[in-house]
Every structure is written in C-alpha cells, then in structure tokens.
Amino acid sequence: MKKFGRILTILLVAAVFIGTFAYLFQRSRPKEIQYEELAPEMGTISKSTVVTGKIQPRDEVNVKAQISGIVAELYKEAGQTVEKNEVIAKLKVIPEMSQLSSAQSRVRLSEVNLKQAQTNYDRQKNLFDQQLVSAEAFEQVAQALKQAQEEYAASVESLEIIRDGVSSSNKSGSSTLVRSSVAGLILDIPVKVGNTVINSNTFNDGTTIATVADMNDLIFDGNIDETEVGRVHIGLPVRITVGALQDVAIDAALEYISPKATESGGTNLFEIKATVKVPDGVTIRSGYSANAEIELQREENVMTLPESAIQFEGEKTFVYVMGANGYERRDVKTGISDGVNIEIKEGLSLGEKVRGIQILDEKKK
C-alpha cells in the first residue's frame, strides 16, 4: 500500500513537471506577427482647417446721451427688443450754475426790454390814432415790440433747455429722452438709475446708455494662420460649430479676409469674417465661442487609403503590398490627406491588399 502511494506521488510530480515544461515551452515560442489588412478604395477626400473665433452681430450700435445729466428712468432692459426712435431712458439735467445764472439774467433783461417796448408801442399807438405821429414812426415802434417779444421768448426757451434739457415748445424732440437710433435687440445697458452721464464732446466719447444690434445679421470673426490664408478666398463655404450648442452645425460663407496680418505669439494671423446663416429655431447669443471649418482642398473620385498604412523613409513614401511571398515593399505617390485617409496617386491598384498596423495579442494588452 505504501509502495502504491509512492508511485502515485511520483506520477503526480512528473505530471506537474511535464505540464509546467510544456507551458513554458509554448510561451517561449515566437508568435506569428499579424497585421490589419487594408485595401485602397475610390472616394472623395478633402483637406480642411479649423479657425477659432466668435459669433457676433455685424454692427453693434452704442446709444449715447445727447446731454449731460443723471439717469432718471430706464424703460428697457438687456434682452428686450427695441424699435428705431423708441425711448430707452430719460435723463434729468444738472445745469452748470454759470450757464443757468447767465440764462436767468438774459430772461430778466429781455423782460425789462419787452415791457419798455410795450409801453412805447401803447404810447405811439395812441398818438397814431390821433394822427399826431406818422405811420413810419408807428411802424418802427411796432417792429421794436415784435423784436422784444421774440428776444423774450428765445431767452425763456434757452433757460428751459439749460435748466430742464427741453423747451416747452419742443417736448417731442427732448434731448432728455434717449432714443434708439436702430431697431434690434438690446445687448447691454451699462447704466443704472441715478448714474451720471455725459454727452459726447471733443475730449470724451460720451456715456453709452445702451448697446443695440440686429441679431438676424450675424458674422463669424476669427483669425487664420499665414500658411493657410493663401488657399482661402471670398465666397468659400464655411461650417461653424458652437460650443454652447451641441449637435448644431451652422452654414456660413467667407466674406472678408484682412489684407494685413497681426502678430500673436510670434505667428502672423489674418482676420477673416464669414456671414452666418442661422437655422430656424436656433438662438445665437452675441459673443458665442465658435470653430469654423474651412475646406482648403477637395479631390473627388480618387484612390484613397488609410494613412496608417503609409510609411516614410526620408523623402520616400511606401507601403507593404501582399504578394506571392508575403508582404512586399512598394513606393507610392501620395496626394492630400484629411488626417485619416490619404490620396494615392501612383503605385497601387484597386483590389490589392496593403499591410496596416500590427494586431496586438489581447493577452499582452
């Protein structure tokens, strides 16, 4: 019985030894390298570039105050639409004391002159009715009265404008009412009720009351590298994607290429603009970051091959083609590439098999 146990133990040890040896031998044998098999196809290939930029209205109008003063009322807010000449805000005038004092003095003086002219007129009219003065003398006094009346009215109107910003005879055209000069969407109202504003003058651009733009007329504004600007032209179709709008592609057309470069980080860039065609139901906000894909070159009905099959040696380009004795090296002439596929001009025929990338053993991954 003991002898049988020893034999069984020996057999088990031998089996383990043989199994281990077989496993290690199998693992040590070189495995056959396998490659992905590719075939050239006929198709269309294009080369594109992506330009970063933003979408903005073609024209943004800054509505400014015509007079200096304080914002008394705001009738609109950002995000609302406004018509041309519609009132956005009302201002309260804070007059300069020197101008106000001068205007008040002018009113008092013109009032004195008017009273004297009226007295002279009444006296001369009484004498004229009694035929004691000539018609010519009476007409001169009447003319002086009219001039005094006009001067008084002008002084009162001037005082109202300086004090209130508007005269009683021209309330509809009041400069205290800030009106939009265009129709569109209000993008921003940077002032609040109580803020002081100044009008545009020689030394100052004036305070912006509101920024208004037509959001139906949008453009893409970006910069393209000098190495690619020579291959674009006006009218070229552009495909725009907006980061804030997923799965939305917008068509555009190139309308402007700057004739002068600007330097940025040692690179010369040229500004480009494209007319944006906003699809129905899509809302675009001013300043959205966007990418514009511009097709630089396009070849149709050409032989293409995945670029991963192409290998380089100096200036030579070659592939490995399946032959009678396995893969054989063959030089090819290539054309444009889209980063995935490349155009094959010479060296391959349809139906041939080309070696691609190596297929890795899943156990080694």
Side-chain angles (χ1 to χ4, degrees):
M1 190 69 182
K2 292 181 180 180
K3 184 178 180 180
F4 177 77
R6 285 197 300 270
I7 294 174
L8 182 59
T9 301
I10 293 172
L11 289 176
L12 289 174
V13 172
V16 171
F17 178 78
I18 294 171
T20 303
F21 177 79
Y23 174 76
L24 294 176
F25 177 77
Q26 185 68 24
R27 292 275 296 180
S28 65
R29 293 181 61 187
K31 294 183 177 294
E32 181 182 357
I33 299 176
Q34 296 183 338
Y35 294 93
E36 181 182 9
E37 196 173 72
L38 304 173
E41 299 178 350
M42 299 300 293
T44 299
I45 192 168
S46 63
K47 183 176 182 180
S48 302
T49 185
V50 176
V51 177
T52 59
K54 61 181 180 180
I55 295 179
Q56 58 188 21
R58 183 181 302 277
D59 297 304
E60 289 188 10
V61 177
N62 291 327
V63 180
K64 297 181 180 292
Q66 297 179 353
I67 60 173
S68 298
I70 293 177
V71 179
E73 295 181 62
L74 287 173
Y75 303 113
K76 293 287 185 177
E77 61 183 23
Q80 293 183 327
T81 58
V82 65
E83 298 297 328
K84 185 176 181 180
N85 292 325
E86 188 174 355
V87 178
I88 297 176
K90 181 179 181 180
L91 305 181
K92 179 182 179 181
V93 177
I94 305 297
E96 293 185 7
M97 296 308 298
S98 59
Q99 293 182 348
L100 180 61
S101 177
S102 177
Q104 291 173 337
S105 176
R106 180 186 173 189
V107 170
R108 289 193 296 268
L109 180 60
S110 61
E111 185 177 10
V112 170
N113 293 334
L114 176 59
K115 289 181 179 179
Q116 184 60 49
Q118 185 67 52
T119 300
N120 294 339
Y121 175 81
D122 293 340
R123 184 184 299 116
Q124 288 294 94
K125 187 176 187 306
N126 185 37
L127 295 174
F128 178 74
D129 291 341
Q130 298 178 30
Q131 297 183 354
L132 297 177
V133 296
S134 64
E136 182 179 358
F138 176 70
E139 289 173 356
Q140 290 177 352
V141 174
Q143 181 66 25
L145 175 61
K146 291 181 180 178
Q147 291 177 349
Q149 291 171 339
E150 289 294 329
E151 171 60 23
Y152 176 75
S155 65
V156 170
E157 185 172 5
S158 178
L159 175 61
E160 291 175 341
I161 292 175
I162 292 174
R163 184 188 59 206
D164 306 323
V166 59
S167 65
S168 56
S169 61
N170 193 25
K171 289 184 178 180
S172 60
S174 173
S175 56
T176 60
L177 298 178
V178 181
R179 302 175 183 272
S180 176
S181 56
V182 295
L185 182 72
I186 299 178
L187 302 181
D188 186 29
I189 296 183
V191 297
K192 297 180 180 180
V193 173
N195 286 165
T196 300
V197 299
I198 59 175
N199 64 325
S200 178
N201 52 55
T202 307
F203 306 101
N204 197 294
D205 292 335
T207 304
T208 298
I209 303 298
T211 302
V212 182
D214 182 2
M215 295 303 292
N216 294 318
D217 187 9
L218 302 175
I219 61 171
F220 169 84
D221 190 352
N223 293 286
I224 189 171
D225 191 87
E226 64 177 336
T227 59
E228 298 174 332
V229 70
R231 287 182 283 178
V232 299
H233 57 83
I234 302 299
L236 202 64
V238 179
R239 196 75 167 169
I240 294 176
T241 54
V242 181
L245 303 175
Q246 297 182 357
D247 302 325
V248 175
I250 303 173
D251 292 328
L254 199 61
E255 67 169 28
Y256 171 79
I257 304 172
S258 175
K260 182 179 179 180
T262 57
E263 186 175 348
S264 176
T267 303
N268 287 334
L269 300 175
F270 289 82
E271 183 185 21
I272 62 170
K273 295 180 181 180
T275 305
V276 177
K277 304 172 184 176
V278 182
D280 294 336
V282 176
T283 300
I284 302 293
R285 301 183 185 278
S286 178
Y288 267 164
S289 297
N291 292 328
E293 183 180 356
I294 305 175
E295 189 176 75
L296 302 176
Q297 190 176 356
R298 184 181 183 88
E299 298 291 342
E300 298 181 350
N301 196 30
V302 295
M303 185 181 298
T304 66
L305 186 71
E307 194 168 353
S308 59
I310 304 297
Q311 299 191 41
F312 302 90
E313 186 179 82
E315 296 183 357
K316 293 184 178 181
T317 306
F318 62 93
V319 296
Y320 286 95
V321 183
M322 177 61 75
N325 300 318
Y327 288 111
E328 301 173 351
R329 172 173 166 166
R330 186 186 300 175
D331 291 342
V332 293
K333 183 178 180 181
T334 60
I336 66 171
S337 168
D338 61 6
V340 177
N341 297 314
I342 191 169
E343 177 189 3
I344 303 297
K345 292 185 175 182
E346 296 178 5
L348 282 180
S349 300
L350 293 176
E352 291 187 298
K353 302 298 182 182
V354 178
R355 191 179 79 181
I357 62 175
Q358 180 180 347
I359 300 177
L360 299 177
D361 189 346
E362 292 295 330
K363 294 180 180 180
K364 294 183 179 181
K365 290 184 180 180

